[in-house]
Amino acid sequence: MQPFRACRVLLSLAGQEVRAVEPMKPMEPMKPMEPMEPMKPMKGAEPWWPKDLGEPATSGAQNGMRYAFFPDKRRLLVDRDGQVSTYDSGDHRIGGFAQADGAAKTLTFTGQDGEVDLGSLKKLD
């Protein structure tokens, strides 16, 4: 059995026991926080395309697939589960992509003239 905290016992006029708990003691002031180490900037993901292509005009990823488009080099790279394929994009200016069926992993790209089927582009490797 644990002992009760110290308190005063008073009896009410009706003879019922009323307990009065001692007032709470003031809290100690908080100690100042220790200075934090300076935050280091987060490192971005390493490019998965060859460095000689430069920076892509657009890139994206979805469901284990990713793409990067390099208009100056006329190259479209598609990575499907770690297998990178390079395509000649011709005159297409690709701005985005859509995945028609996640299981089949088919891609359709959007260019300046509408949709561009990946199968219509010349595969280079």
Side-chain angles (χ1 to χ4, degrees):
M1 185 172 189
Q2 294 186 1
F4 287 105
R5 290 181 44 192
C7 63
R8 288 186 244 155
V9 177
L10 306 172
L11 292 177
S12 69
L13 293 175
Q16 294 178 336
E17 187 176 294
V18 178
R19 293 186 181 261
V21 179
E22 288 184 18
M24 199 169 158
K25 294 182 177 139
M27 293 176 62
E28 291 184 27
M30 288 181 63
K31 295 178 183 168
M33 289 180 60
E34 295 290 325
M36 292 178 59
E37 296 278 331
M39 296 278 299
K40 294 178 182 165
M42 290 180 65
K43 187 176 181 182
E46 292 293 319
W48 55 271
W49 51 82
K51 294 189 188 304
D52 64 323
L53 290 176
E55 286 297 314
T58 185
S59 64
Q62 182 180 353
N63 298 335
M65 299 175 69
R66 54 189 178 175
Y67 77 96
F69 174 58
F70 304 87
D72 295 341
K73 306 279 186 178
R74 294 184 172 205
R75 295 293 178 260
L76 171 66
L77 273 63
V78 177
D79 178 355
R80 294 182 183 189
D81 299 318
Q83 181 67 39
V84 178
S85 300
T86 304
Y87 297 87
D88 181 347
S89 62
D91 293 330
H92 297 290
R93 306 281 301 171
I94 294 170
F97 83 113
Q99 193 169 7
D101 180 2
K105 296 196 175 185
T106 58
L107 290 176
T108 302
F109 292 88
T110 306
Q112 76 277 16
D113 297 324
E115 290 186 352
V116 179
D117 182 18
L118 187 60
S120 70
L121 300 179
K122 181 181 176 187
K123 188 172 178 182
L124 300 176
D125 57 359

